[in-house]
Each structure stands twice: as structure tokens, then as C-alpha cells.
Amino acid sequence: MASDWLGSLVSLNCGPTLGVYQGEVSSVDQSSQTISLRQPFHNGVKCPVPEVTFSAIDIQELKILDIRNFNARAASSAAAKGNAVPVAVPKGDPRSVEKLNSPQQCSKSYGERHLDALGQPKGFRRRHNSCSRGVNQATPKKNGVKNGQMKNRDDECFGDCMDDGLDTDFDFEGNLALFDKAAVFSEIDTTERRNGARSRSTPQDQTPTQYRHDENILEGKPIVYRQIIVPQPGHKEYCTDSGLVVPSISYELHKRLLSAAERYGLTLERRLEMTGVCASQMTLTLLGGPNRFTPKNLHQRPTVALLCGPHVQGAQGISCGRHLANHEVEVVLFLPNFVKMLDAVTSELTLFNKTGGKQVSSIKDLPDTPVDLIINCLDCHENTFLMDQPWYRVAADWANQNRAPVLSLDPPVSGQGHAVEAKWLLSLCLPLPLAEGAGRVYLCDIGVPRQVFQEVGIKYHSPFGCKFVIPLHSA
């Protein structure tokens, strides 16, 4: 009868599309060839609906995991049912539901053993259990009666109470079907991501997603890498480490930008101070940073040669030398004697002389041995005739022959040429179009507000992030 199978636990394999369902049989309809499961599980996950109905056409394989009230029925029908064998229901067989009327659907490991056990005498089961546990029968002795009594006691002690447990095989395949590994790992990953924990890779993941400790993992607006737009872009563009595009500007636009900033209070003195701080920070990093400047290395103070001219670029270099001298760097400042110099140069020179740094006006007074770093501030954006002066040529030759790395501060555009071969170049605000092979370009922020950029026609968004000096790469 179909009603005899109500309450049994079954597993239905409906193919790769529908998957595997497990649940308790709630109804079997022979006329419509359907079976309904109560409290179903789909691929190991509990279904949101209380009951699911299946057609015999969709069922590829049917397995009975547990039969309710089987012992009560088996006692009365053991002789009629005989031995049972596991039957797999083929896909699309209309007799798949009718076969539920037959107890042959139960697995042999469960039903057959109990049916056989009910029809066997107790003594046979005892002997069978003893053999299954590998207990060898004792060798008959002279006193056979005593030996037989001891054997019966062993069977009563170790045989009867273990019959049910030993005769029942564990259904590994059925229990494995209840666990969907992929679904469980997917649920765990979803929960951990919501809680902010690091995602656990599933076996199917080939390239697991990894994030840095300072990287935002929340989805936001698309990233715009061209955030700086100039009215007359130069022939060269750069990009930052994060991919932001930084275009170069002409020297005329650069002058207009600084002039507009000065009208709003960013005077030359304030720009000199910002440039000196940024250049000194970059220099301290190039000299070794915290690994070099420790109390244990006071006997190995680095030496920096500073080559300056009588112009704004020279004043920027002197400001940088003052900050370096304040950080225990041996600074040697080269500045020729001039009858008249800019007021900014004179003011910076006065402050530098209070640091204890060394100032020389002749190349002969510069160190004979290689120094740790040379800062070149000889070049000027406008007065190109300085390159023809004897002091300039001598200073440039000394720098090229010293074999020390060179940092050029605020270098001019590529068309003017560079007498000193530099390894690093530090530009201000926005870079000028520099020649290829002139050195690695760095950019420093001197504090020009965004609206000042907009006043000269530049759409500007700061590319510096949390730093004041960033490296640029040729785009």
C-alpha cells in the first residue's frame, strides 16, 4: 500500500538541473504519478517551502534513507516479502511512484538483515554475531559441559545487546548527499564578508580576491583617472603610482598660476618654505631615512653639496639646505659672490648661516671626495645666459665628476638643456615638459588652492593623497 511509506525519509535525485532533494514522504499519488516530501532539503540546504511535489518523469533515482514503523509491519509480512535488493528508479519511468508500494525499495543493508533476523532463532543470531566479531570458538576440553556453559554466558553478555547495532549499515552515500559543500562554503563566505572578516577561498576559486589593509572593498563610483585637465596640455603626460594622469603645463601657464596664488597670499617666502620642506623630506629619504638617522649613527653623518645660483631656484635650494642642517646633515653650500642678489636669496642665506652649515664661493673649497648627494639649483627658467658663466661651467663639471647622485630642484623645460646629469628631478605644483632620460620625476605640493587652479583655467584635483612628494611616471 502507498500509505505504508508515509513518513519515510527518502532521497530523490532529479538530475543536474533540479538537483537532489531529501525529506519525509507526505503523500504518494498513483494516479498522477507524483510524490510529495514534507520539510524538504535541496542540495543540503533547507527549502523555504514546507512541502515539494515531484513527478515520476523528473526522478532519475530514488533512495530510501529511513522507513518509519518498519518493525511493526515487518513482523507480519516477513515471510511474504522475502529477500529485497536495492532498486534504482530510471529517469522518466512512470512506474517510479508505483514501486513505492513494494518494500523492495529499502536497502538490503537495512531491510534484508532485519527480515532475516526475525525469521532466525536466537541461538543462530548469537553464533552469527560471535563469528562476525572474529571470536574463535574454544577448543573442546575434557570438561566440555563447563566450557559450553562459559560460551553461552559470553554470547549472552556480548551478543544479544549488540545485534541491532551490528546488523545496521551506515548509509554513507545518503548522508553525503545531504551535505552540499559548495553551498555551505558560499554561505560562510557571504557571512564573513558581511561581518568584515577576510573571505575564505572555496575549492573552486582559482584566483582568490585579496585586499590591502588600506584598500576600500565597498563598491563605489567608477574611478576617473584623468582628474586634472589643463587648457593647453603639453606634449608630455605623467601618471602616479595609483594611475592618476598628471599632464605637464607650459612655463607661461606655470607663471600665471604662481602669480594668481601670490595675489591671494601665497607669497614667494611661503612658497620657498614649502619647497624647502618638501625637498628636504625627499633628500632625507634618499639618504637612508630612519635607518640612517639614528643616535647610533651620529659618527656617520651624511654630507650634501648644495650648488645654488643667484635666483629663485637658488633661494629654494638654500631653504632646503637649512632644513637639512637642522636634521644633522653636513651641508656644504656653494654660492658665488655677487654684488647684488635677490632679497629672497639674501634672507634665506641669513637663516642658513645660523644653522652651522658651511658656505663656500669657490669650487676649490668643495669636498675632494665623493659626497652622499648633490642638490643642483644652478639652473634658472628665464636667465639662460647663466650657463655661459665661468662659475656655472666649473660647478657643473665638479658635479659630473664627483660620482655622487644628483637631485635637480625645480628644473627648467627640456629645450634649455641640462649641464648637470641628474638622477632625480623635483617639480612644483604641476610638471613642466621635461626631456626623456633627464631623470626620475617627482612632484611636490606647495599649497596652491584648488580655486586658484580654476582661475587660470585648470580643472584640478589633488593627486598627492596623504603625501607631499609623489613619484611620476611617463604615461
Side-chain angles (χ1 to χ4, degrees):
M1 298 293 293
S3 60
D4 294 340
W5 301 99
L6 299 181
S8 300
L9 298 180
V10 299
S11 174
L12 304 180
N13 185 357
C14 300
T17 303
L18 298 180
V20 180
Y21 286 83
Q22 300 87 23
E24 180 182 346
V25 178
S26 59
S27 66
V28 178
D29 192 344
Q30 298 181 10
S31 60
S32 61
Q33 297 292 303
T34 59
I35 181 174
S36 299
L37 302 183
R38 184 189 300 117
Q39 298 179 356
F41 282 77
H42 179 224
N43 293 333
V45 180
K46 188 174 182 180
C47 298
V49 295
E51 189 176 61
V52 180
T53 302
F54 300 89
S55 176
I57 301 177
D58 298 330
I59 301 175
Q60 293 185 355
E61 186 179 8
L62 186 148
K63 295 182 182 179
I64 297 180
L65 306 179
D66 188 16
I67 305 176
R68 300 294 176 89
N69 303 323
F70 177 77
N71 293 332
R73 297 194 305 271
S76 61
S77 60
K81 293 178 181 180
N83 294 334
V85 294
V87 177
V89 180
K91 178 178 180 181
D93 189 353
R95 298 174 299 172
S96 58
V97 179
E98 294 180 356
K99 291 183 179 180
L100 289 176
N101 297 327
S102 173
Q104 292 179 351
Q105 284 296 319
C106 61
S107 62
K108 185 175 180 179
S109 62
Y110 188 92
E112 186 181 34
R113 289 178 182 270
H114 280 74
L115 289 174
D116 295 340
L118 290 174
Q120 294 171 355
K122 185 175 181 180
F124 176 80
R125 287 189 293 161
R126 289 174 181 172
R127 291 191 300 273
H128 173 73
N129 291 335
S130 299
C131 295
S132 64
R133 288 192 298 271
V135 179
N136 296 328
Q137 296 181 354
T139 304
K141 297 182 180 179
K142 293 182 180 180
N143 191 359
V145 176
K146 186 176 180 180
N147 186 46
Q149 292 177 353
M150 295 297 296
K151 183 178 184 303
N152 291 337
R153 291 180 182 179
D154 291 343
D155 290 341
E156 291 177 357
C157 180
F158 300 105
D160 270 346
C161 60
M162 298 297 293
D163 283 347
D164 295 340
L166 292 175
D167 291 342
T168 303
D169 288 344
F170 182 77
D171 191 355
F172 289 96
E173 185 177 0
N175 282 269
L176 183 61
L178 296 175
F179 178 66
D180 188 353
K181 190 174 182 181
V184 172
F185 273 102
S186 178
E187 184 178 356
I188 293 175
D189 289 341
T190 302
T191 303
E192 290 185 349
R193 288 187 180 182
R194 289 177 180 175
N195 295 336
R198 186 175 61 181
S199 175
R200 180 182 308 174
S201 299
T202 60
Q204 289 81 8
D205 292 338
Q206 299 296 332
T207 55
T209 304
Q210 297 181 356
Y211 300 98
R212 301 193 310 269
H213 68 281
D214 57 349
E215 184 177 1
N216 184 19
I217 64 174
L218 300 178
E219 294 184 0
K221 297 181 180 180
I223 301 176
V224 178
Y225 291 98
R226 189 175 293 275
Q227 300 180 359
I228 302 176
I229 302 177
V230 296
Q232 299 176 354
H235 66 277
K236 191 172 182 60
E237 288 186 341
Y238 302 90
C239 63
T240 64
D241 290 337
S242 58
L244 298 178
V245 178
V246 180
S248 62
I249 59 176
S250 62
Y251 177 66
E252 290 73 16
L253 183 59
H254 184 78
K255 286 195 302 181
R256 288 172 50 198
L257 177 62
L258 297 182
S259 178
E262 190 167 359
R263 289 199 306 268
Y264 289 104
L266 191 61
T267 59
L268 176 61
E269 289 76 13
R270 301 179 68 174
R271 298 200 306 271
L272 291 176
E273 190 67 19
M274 281 296 301
T275 305
V277 170
C278 292
S280 61
Q281 287 182 348
M282 180 177 177
T283 302
L284 293 174
T285 302
L286 296 176
L287 292 175
N291 297 326
R292 182 77 178 271
F293 295 91
T294 60
K296 297 180 180 181
N297 289 337
L298 292 179
H299 61 289
Q300 297 179 352
R301 296 172 59 183
T303 302
V304 174
L306 198 58
L307 308 180
C308 299
H311 37 63
V312 175
Q313 282 69 30
Q316 294 171 349
I318 299 174
S319 175
C320 174
R322 169 167 54 89
H323 290 289
L324 291 177
N326 290 336
H327 286 78
E328 304 299 328
V329 177
E330 294 285 351
V331 180
V332 180
L333 171 62
F334 169 76
L335 180 65
N337 292 325
F338 295 98
V339 177
K340 185 178 181 181
M341 293 185 295
L342 294 176
D343 294 338
V345 176
T346 304
S347 300
E348 291 295 335
L349 190 59
T350 302
L351 290 174
F352 174 80
N353 290 330
K354 298 299 181 180
T355 63
K358 182 179 179 181
Q359 178 187 356
V360 298
S361 58
S362 175
I363 296 298
K364 298 179 181 180
D365 298 329
L366 289 174
D368 297 332
T369 59
V371 296
D372 293 273
L373 183 68
I374 298 174
I375 300 180
N376 176 28
C377 300
L378 297 174
D379 299 309
C380 179
H381 292 289
E382 297 179 351
N383 298 329
T384 57
F385 65 89
L386 292 177
M387 299 181 64
D388 299 330
Q389 299 295 323
W391 61 267
Y392 182 98
R393 294 196 301 268
V394 175
D397 293 339
W398 178 88
N400 293 329
Q401 295 174 3
N402 191 264
R403 294 181 299 176
V406 178
L407 168 63
S408 290
L409 183 56
D410 193 13
V413 295
S414 58
Q416 298 184 10
H418 302 277
V420 179
E421 297 179 1
K423 187 175 182 180
W424 304 283
L425 307 174
L426 182 60
S427 299
L428 314 181
C429 295
L430 288 175
L432 299 175
L434 303 174
E436 290 288 346
R440 291 197 58 184
V441 182
Y442 285 76
L443 190 67
C444 74
D445 183 12
I446 61 174
V448 179
R450 181 184 301 181
Q451 293 185 1
V452 177
F453 283 95
Q454 295 177 356
E455 184 172 325
V456 296
I458 300 177
K459 181 181 178 182
Y460 181 82
H461 185 82
S462 176
F464 291 95
C466 62
K467 300 178 181 180
F468 282 89
V469 179
I470 58 174
L472 296 182
H473 313 279
S474 297

